[in-house]
Amino acid sequence: MTLLPGRGSPTPRATPAVPHCGGQCSADMARGDLSTQSAGQEAGFAASLGPLLILALLIAVGFTAMGSFGMVQESAKVELHLSDTALGLLQGLGAAVPLVVFSVPIGILVDRYNRVRLLVGLMLLWTLGTALTAAAPDVSTLFAARMLTGIGVTGALTAALSLSADFCRPAQRGRALLIVNLGKSLGTAAAFALTGWIFGLLAHGAVPAGLAMAPWRGAHAILAGIGLLLSLPLLALREPPRHEVEAAPNSPFRVVAAELWARREFLAPLFAGQVAVVMADAAAGIWVSPVLQRSYGLSPEDFGGWVGAIVFISGVLGSMLGGASADLGQKSSVRGGLLVGAVIAAGVGVPSALFPVMPNVLAFGAALFVLVLCGAITGLVVSVALTVWLPNELRGLSIGAFIAVAGLIGFGLAPSLVTVVSGVLGGETHLGQGLAVVGVVTSALSFLAFIQAMRRAPI
């Protein structure tokens, strides 16, 4: 059994006699010890791959459910007679309100109770939200359905990140969180590709028996069923022991909150940087489909596949780069070296946010690829930073607090801000320009914030 520092000590054992063989023998023994330790660590990481893949699959299912409505929102707009402002509130505020209200309580539950059981409940919640989306008779019910989906998926991400950190050692967390983030990338891509493909089939008459509903509704009904089946491996997951615990188990909330507050000089700019990234990404994810339909004359079945491929490939590559940069940054002598990858990615993200005003679809796709790539890098780096620089009892709370802030500002403000800017520029026909303005400004803010977080990092 591995003992945590300060939590106990191993039983004294008699030390075997070591034959005298000089410095060369000692060097050989040291190399042998390091080799054995490295092999043991790699074996331990290999053993954690199964649980990590289950978590990745679950997160993929969740993010498919959360992003699916954005792909078909133009059809819902026509059927329910919605404006862009209503869509912005539905996609933005509908996600922001539950995040603000529930993310911190869910984070506290993650820090204190069985995370696997919590994941099962959250999975059922987003499945219910997806099914309710399919059946929503009016905008109020649709609003509630999207809120349920948002609560379930973002809460599950908090629990999954906490579990991933406890399935491996700190030096391996870049790789561990990479696997979970690959699931997120896959789910985000499937929200475009899979939803668009199903929508296209239903729109062209390939309707399963008994599914007499509009294509955008039928797509959500099918996604709810598929998601429930793909989530079944979660039942085989077991709760791992918690590591790097500093406070006593179930310490009063004021004690935990005080620990978090003591780290505010570092956490505030870190949160600000990633919240700004979320603003740019959330606005892009919500409005990319309407921009392609209005400005470039494409239909969902025309672009769903290649947009999904862009999101997936850039998300995978970005997660890989983010994980590698985080693990390498931990070995750097530079203060806050773990965050170097986030700083670079945030800077590159500024010009790529101009994707909605590119002169053709090819340039649009290339710039969107870079923007999503940069967002994936910063998201992975920030996740590793939280699991490395914060003790176990603060991880769920800090991730929950971040999701609450990101939900309020990123999802709640950014989509509606795009409609405000487009309105100032001339109305709904200027949606692409409004999206570009919001993306460039928020990306620039994230770059400056990550630089400040790097300067104030614990080490």
Side-chain angles (χ1 to χ4, degrees):
M1 180 178 66
T2 302
L3 295 171
L4 297 174
R7 295 291 177 182
S9 57
T11 304
R13 298 179 180 177
T15 303
V18 179
H20 178 72
C21 53
Q24 183 61 42
C25 181
S26 298
D28 291 342
M29 291 175 64
R31 283 194 296 269
D33 288 345
L34 289 174
S35 177
T36 301
Q37 182 181 23
S38 176
Q41 289 179 353
E42 292 305 315
F45 184 77
S48 69
L49 279 176
L52 290 173
L53 289 173
I54 291 176
L55 290 175
L57 176 62
L58 184 74
I59 294 302
V61 170
F63 273 85
T64 300
M66 191 164 74
S68 58
F69 182 74
M71 185 64 185
V72 297
Q73 61 182 312
E74 287 289 282
S75 296
K77 176 184 179 181
V78 173
E79 179 181 334
L80 298 176
H81 309 292
L82 304 176
S83 65
D84 275 357
T85 301
L87 283 177
L89 291 174
L90 182 65
Q91 292 270 68
L93 195 62
V97 170
L99 298 187
V100 172
V101 175
F102 292 100
S103 291
V104 170
I106 290 175
I108 295 173
L109 291 175
V110 166
D111 287 335
R112 293 168 179 256
Y113 299 105
N114 188 294
R115 292 163 288 185
V116 175
R117 294 176 185 172
L118 186 61
L119 274 175
V120 173
L122 292 167
M123 178 271 294
L124 293 174
L125 193 63
W126 84 57
T127 302
L128 174 62
T130 306
L132 189 59
T133 299
D138 51 45
V139 67
S140 298
T141 308
L142 188 58
F143 190 87
R146 302 319 297 164
M147 285 201 300
L148 290 176
T149 306
I151 295 170
V153 176
T154 54
L157 181 61
T158 302
L161 292 175
S162 177
L163 282 166
S164 299
D166 284 332
F167 278 127
C168 63
R169 298 171 183 268
Q172 300 165 336
R173 285 185 185 149
R175 283 179 285 171
L177 297 185
L178 163 63
I179 293 173
V180 175
N181 273 270
L182 291 180
K184 179 180 176 182
S185 298
L186 177 60
T188 304
F192 288 98
L194 182 59
T195 307
W197 178 68
I198 295 174
F199 177 88
L201 289 178
L202 298 178
H204 291 92
V207 181
L211 194 64
M213 55 177 62
W216 71 271
R217 295 181 181 275
H220 281 89
I222 292 173
L223 287 174
I226 294 175
L228 191 60
L229 289 175
L230 291 179
S231 299
L232 290 178
L234 176 61
L235 301 178
L237 201 62
R238 295 294 177 265
E239 179 81 6
R242 295 178 184 266
H243 303 302
E244 296 106 43
V245 178
E246 291 184 5
N250 296 324
S251 297
F253 176 75
R254 58 181 176 79
V255 174
V256 177
E259 286 192 56
L260 199 62
W261 179 251
R263 295 165 170 84
R264 64 189 180 278
E265 290 189 359
F266 157 66
L267 289 176
L270 183 71
F271 277 29
Q274 190 58 19
V275 166
V277 171
V278 170
M279 289 183 71
D281 287 353
I286 288 172
W287 294 117
V288 64
S289 178
V291 169
L292 282 170
Q293 293 179 69
R294 299 179 195 178
S295 301
Y296 298 88
L298 302 179
S299 61
E301 56 266 35
D302 293 331
F303 62 81
W306 63 260
V307 170
I310 284 176
V311 171
F312 178 66
I313 295 172
S314 59
V316 169
L317 183 58
S319 295
M320 293 173 65
L321 292 173
S325 71
D327 283 347
L328 288 174
Q330 292 186 68
K331 303 174 184 178
S332 171
S333 60
V334 177
R335 184 183 184 91
L338 192 158
L339 296 175
V340 168
V343 173
I344 295 173
V348 174
V350 177
S352 65
L354 292 170
F355 76 92
V357 292
M358 290 292 126
N360 53 60
V361 174
L362 181 62
F364 179 104
L368 178 63
F369 178 92
V370 176
L371 182 69
V372 179
L373 175 77
C374 293
I377 292 173
T378 62
L380 198 288
V381 171
V382 170
S383 297
V384 174
L386 292 176
T387 63
V388 169
W389 285 333
L390 294 182
N392 198 299
E393 67 272 12
L394 295 182
R395 291 173 192 162
L397 176 59
S398 63
I399 294 172
F402 160 70
I403 291 175
V405 175
L408 177 63
I409 300 176
F411 288 97
L413 178 62
S416 297
L417 187 59
V418 170
T419 62
V420 171
V421 174
S422 66
V424 171
L425 294 175
E428 294 188 356
T429 57
H430 292 76
L431 182 64
Q433 292 91 324
L435 179 57
V437 170
V438 172
V440 168
V441 172
T442 53
S443 296
L445 290 175
S446 71
F447 174 69
L448 297 175
F450 281 133
I451 291 176
Q452 189 68 7
M454 192 173 166
R455 291 173 176 171
R456 297 183 179 183
I459 53 176

